[in-house]
Amino acid sequence: MLNKNNIPRHIAIIMDGNGRWAKERGFSRIIGHRQGAKRLKEIVQSASETGIEVVTFFAFSAENWNRPKQEINLLMRYLSNFLDKEIRQFDKNNIRFLAIGRKAPLPEPILEKISMAEEKTKNNKGLTVVLALNYGARQEIVDAAKRFANSVVSGKVNEDSLDIEGFGRYLYTANLPDPDLLIRTSGEMRLSNFLLWQLSYAELYFVKKYWPDFTHQDFKEAILEYQKRERRFGGISEA
Ligand code: FPP
């Protein structure tokens, strides 16, 4: 049973292994993404029911543009369908939607749907679902540094006023708590340029299953494992 007093506020997820899942079954990679999109919806429901505040999914990295054009186009189509269909459901379930990442070169119709989805759900007070799209953590940190430098040049702030918390407000994730738990599926054990700043003190959880096989139960097990960990944030154990 989950300890209701120790639920992670923010869970970040790297949904890895869609391609391998499909290949092992003799399907094209895109079938893996389609199944992956179904899992994403299920995990949103689990997160909402568990009382998590924020769940962030790595849906498309800044490096994913290097994939074959056909795969990119189909991923964009899934994303577009997702924004058309799921947002209404999110809104009914009091879920707020946000996207993080660089806008260019995402297609204009997708950017419009993202803005509409964010606007429609902005006052919802339940779970916040964040999609990282065209996202790269190093790019995010560079963008934040530029925005801060602009504020200094325009005289709005003084460079000496910058501290760690203040810098966080220049990131795409401003106003969101840092993730407490990172889940990565498919057995790969790396961060792949995902939320490098925000994951500084997160608990890392790697699971062998491919994302299209990741279920409610697997999600619960990740939280149970999190609840066994002792988080010290650089301090020492109290016992
Ligand atoms: C990683 O698997 C997954 C991605 C790069 C894309 C994730 C996308 C989805 C789950 C579906 C689309 C999302 C929405 C919101 C509709 P991989 O392709 O790198 O797998 P591999 O490592 O086995 O090749």
Side-chain angles (χ1 to χ4, degrees):
M1 280 289 281
L2 289 181
N3 173 359
K4 290 276 167 217
N5 297 319
N6 186 20
I7 299 291
R9 289 182 70 193
H10 182 171
I11 300 184
I13 305 183
I14 302 181
M15 309 179 282
D16 199 9
N18 295 349
R20 278 165 285 166
W21 181 90
K23 282 278 162 229
E24 284 178 17
R25 286 160 180 77
F27 302 141
S28 72
R29 296 174 51 81
I30 199 68
I31 302 293
H33 294 315
R34 194 174 69 189
Q35 182 64 18
K38 279 193 203 152
R39 290 300 186 195
L40 183 153
K41 287 182 233 165
E42 286 173 24
I43 297 306
V44 165
Q45 195 195 332
S46 299
S48 181
E49 288 166 6
T50 312
I52 286 153
E53 285 175 43
V54 185
V55 61
T56 299
F57 296 95
F58 204 178
F60 195 85
S61 80
E63 292 77 25
N64 283 154
W65 299 105
N66 298 326
R67 294 188 173 212
K69 200 145 186 48
Q70 193 196 15
E71 182 171 340
I72 294 174
N73 289 343
L74 281 165
L75 269 170
M76 289 299 145
R77 197 185 306 163
Y78 284 155
L79 178 62
S80 176
N81 285 344
F82 176 87
L83 291 166
D84 286 339
K85 293 204 195 112
E86 291 314 307
I87 297 303
R88 235 170 300 148
Q89 201 55 37
F90 279 12
D91 200 34
K92 270 196 208 139
N93 293 330
N94 200 21
I95 292 173
R96 179 167 71 127
F97 172 82
L98 292 176
I100 56 170
R102 277 189 187 164
K103 289 194 163 127
L106 284 167
E108 195 53 45
I110 298 254
L111 292 173
E112 275 169 28
K113 285 179 193 186
I114 289 172
S115 295
M116 276 161 58
E118 289 181 335
E119 181 60 28
K120 188 175 170 67
T121 62
K122 71 177 181 199
N123 294 322
N124 291 345
K125 297 281 181 277
L127 174 70
T128 296
V129 172
V130 184
L131 276 194
L133 290 169
N134 189 27
Y135 175 87
R138 288 177 165 183
Q139 290 86 331
E140 176 183 35
I141 293 167
V142 168
D143 286 349
K146 284 187 191 162
R147 287 177 59 204
F148 177 70
N150 278 332
S151 306
V152 173
V153 169
S154 63
K156 281 193 213 120
V157 293
N158 181 294
E159 72 259 33
D160 292 330
S161 67
L162 189 65
D163 58 12
I164 290 172
E165 212 182 300
F167 190 73
R169 286 194 285 273
Y170 288 90
L171 296 168
Y172 308 146
T173 50
N175 304 319
L176 296 175
D178 284 342
D180 303 293
L181 171 65
L182 169 82
I183 301 173
R184 181 171 189 151
T185 56
S186 94
E188 307 291 353
M189 290 191 237
R190 52 177 175 265
L191 296 180
S192 299
N193 202 17
F194 188 45
L195 299 174
L196 297 182
W197 175 280
Q198 299 87 338
L199 290 172
S200 292
Y201 285 102
E203 295 298 324
L204 308 182
Y205 180 81
F206 300 103
V207 59
K208 282 229 160 69
K209 272 191 179 182
Y210 295 142
W211 175 252
D213 285 330
F214 193 80
T215 62
H216 289 296
Q217 187 56 32
D218 295 313
F219 186 65
K220 189 171 162 192
E221 272 166 29
I223 300 173
L224 281 169
E225 167 65 26
Y226 165 86
Q227 294 188 332
K228 286 190 211 143
R229 306 259 181 106
E230 186 199 9
R231 304 186 76 196
R232 292 198 295 273
F233 299 96
I236 56 169
S237 173
E238 275 170 30

